[in-house]
Amino acid sequence: MRIFWDDLDRGDWTARLDLGRSAALQQSWDYGQAARALGAGVRRARVADGLGEIAVAQVLDRSGLRLISRGPVWLRAVDPAQKRCVLRALARGPTLATPEDAFAGFGLVPLLTGRFHAIWSLDPSPEVLRAGLERRWAGRLAAAGRAGVQAATGHGIVLDLLIREEAAQRRRIGYRGLPPDFPRHLPPRALRIWHWTKDGSTAAAMAFVRHGDAATYQTGWAGPAARRCGVHQAMLWQAALALRAEGVRRIDLGTVDTEAAPGLAHFKLGTGADLRRLGATAWVLPAVRWRGRERQSPED
């Protein structure tokens, strides 16, 4: 097995993620660039053996701790033992990994059980998607439609407001996520923002990140008037149709925790999204032997 570090540019990296099909936002080039802007070290590895390339993995370094989040991205079918070997070969120092799928064995010390994510497939027609909505969810969407709720695409000013209001929402409710300023460091071409206006002021907003043929729900906020009107149902539905029209095949709606946040879990699963369990977060013990080649990271 050989590991090649930082020898791919954006186009080559993205092409390999497209081969992986279900690659998560955390393995995208844009995510790495945003993390770097916020102070993290970023390395990108290409792993190969005698049969060709096996995987790519984006590795973040925060204060000496290496993080492989929802990776590696597998480029061909490999068995759990091979996956474990790849992760151990990538562990060049203290390393935590949360693979997209579950596998275990010697060298992986589980620390946290796998989280559940809501993955909404947009492959069906809009009519089939609508029929798949949970009854109460569909009812709130219909009520919002009768009330004339219509979301509009946003821009930088809306993003500033969304970041500020969502940060206040975090403090009020007490939850964690990516740094509030994370969306500011993403390229505008990757962001999709929708908002709803009430009496001339933005009263709700929602942001997604486009990556390959997928999108990830990044952040959202709704004021009291928006919550009463079912605006988030209408906004998410309209966003999904718009994303589908531009070629997005699935939306990662984020974690589902029925105990800590039952209302949010119901909102996500009410779309008809599938519940997918990620692999456990594990401490990765490095392999005894590895061969690699290092280069300077290419320019963005």
Side-chain angles (χ1 to χ4, degrees):
M1 184 184 301
R2 301 185 67 191
I3 301 179
F4 303 88
W5 292 95
D6 301 319
D7 69 339
L8 300 175
D9 61 17
R10 180 197 297 272
D12 290 334
W13 183 263
T14 301
R16 283 162 174 79
L17 294 194
D18 290 342
L19 289 175
R21 296 183 182 179
S22 60
L25 170 64
Q26 288 84 344
Q27 289 296 310
S28 72
W29 187 278
D30 291 336
Y31 184 96
Q33 296 304 96
R36 179 175 284 150
L38 288 167
V42 180
R43 304 297 305 276
R44 298 182 179 97
R46 179 169 60 91
V47 186
D49 63 8
L51 298 178
E53 293 184 349
I54 304 172
V56 291
Q58 183 160 252
V59 185
L60 304 189
D61 188 315
R62 298 183 183 277
S63 302
L65 177 64
R66 295 161 66 84
L67 305 173
I68 304 174
S69 182
R70 300 185 69 175
V73 177
W74 307 107
L75 304 182
R76 67 172 200 250
V78 289
D79 61 36
Q82 290 173 298
K83 292 180 178 181
R84 180 169 50 83
C85 289
V86 168
L87 263 185
R88 295 191 65 203
L90 290 168
R92 301 177 57 222
T95 302
L96 287 177
T98 304
E100 188 74 1
D101 52 343
F103 56 92
F106 180 77
L108 302 183
V109 182
L111 301 177
L112 297 172
T113 57
R115 297 169 300 166
F116 288 94
H117 271 238
I119 308 296
W120 191 11
S121 172
L122 302 184
D123 282 336
S125 68
E127 293 76 19
V128 173
L129 288 173
R130 182 106 188 197
L133 300 175
E134 186 268 335
R135 181 177 57 84
R136 285 176 294 177
W137 209 102
R140 289 185 66 81
L141 176 62
R146 291 192 296 271
V149 172
Q150 184 66 40
T153 54
H155 45 75
I157 295 175
V158 174
L159 178 62
D160 291 341
L161 174 65
L162 174 56
I163 289 172
R164 185 168 64 251
E165 293 291 348
E166 197 272 338
Q169 182 175 267
R170 289 190 195 202
R171 293 190 296 270
R172 185 172 63 253
I173 299 176
Y175 63 90
R176 292 184 177 183
L178 289 170
D181 278 346
F182 183 83
R184 296 189 199 277
H185 299 286
L186 292 166
R189 57 173 169 70
L191 276 175
R192 304 290 186 275
I193 305 171
W194 279 267
H195 68 107
W196 178 69
T197 300
K198 175 72 172 176
D199 298 329
S201 299
T202 298
M206 186 176 288
F208 299 80
V209 186
R210 170 79 190 268
H211 48 102
D213 65 355
T216 293
Y217 175 84
Q218 173 60 37
T219 188
W221 155 78
R227 290 193 294 272
R228 287 193 298 269
C229 296
V231 167
H232 258 184
Q233 276 85 357
M235 190 178 303
L236 179 55
W237 175 251
Q238 292 165 23
L241 294 184
L243 289 165
R244 184 183 184 277
E246 67 174 76
V248 170
R249 299 184 59 189
R250 65 193 176 280
I251 301 176
D252 185 338
L253 295 173
T255 57
V256 173
D257 189 332
T258 56
E259 293 185 0
L264 185 57
H266 180 267
F267 173 74
K268 294 176 180 180
L269 295 177
T271 62
D274 294 325
L275 198 59
R276 179 184 299 173
R277 188 170 192 167
L278 306 183
T281 298
W283 186 263
V284 185
L285 303 180
V288 176
R289 295 180 181 178
W290 62 274
R291 290 193 298 164
R293 183 175 68 188
E294 296 193 10
R295 292 184 181 178
Q296 294 296 316
S297 178
E299 294 296 324
D300 181 17

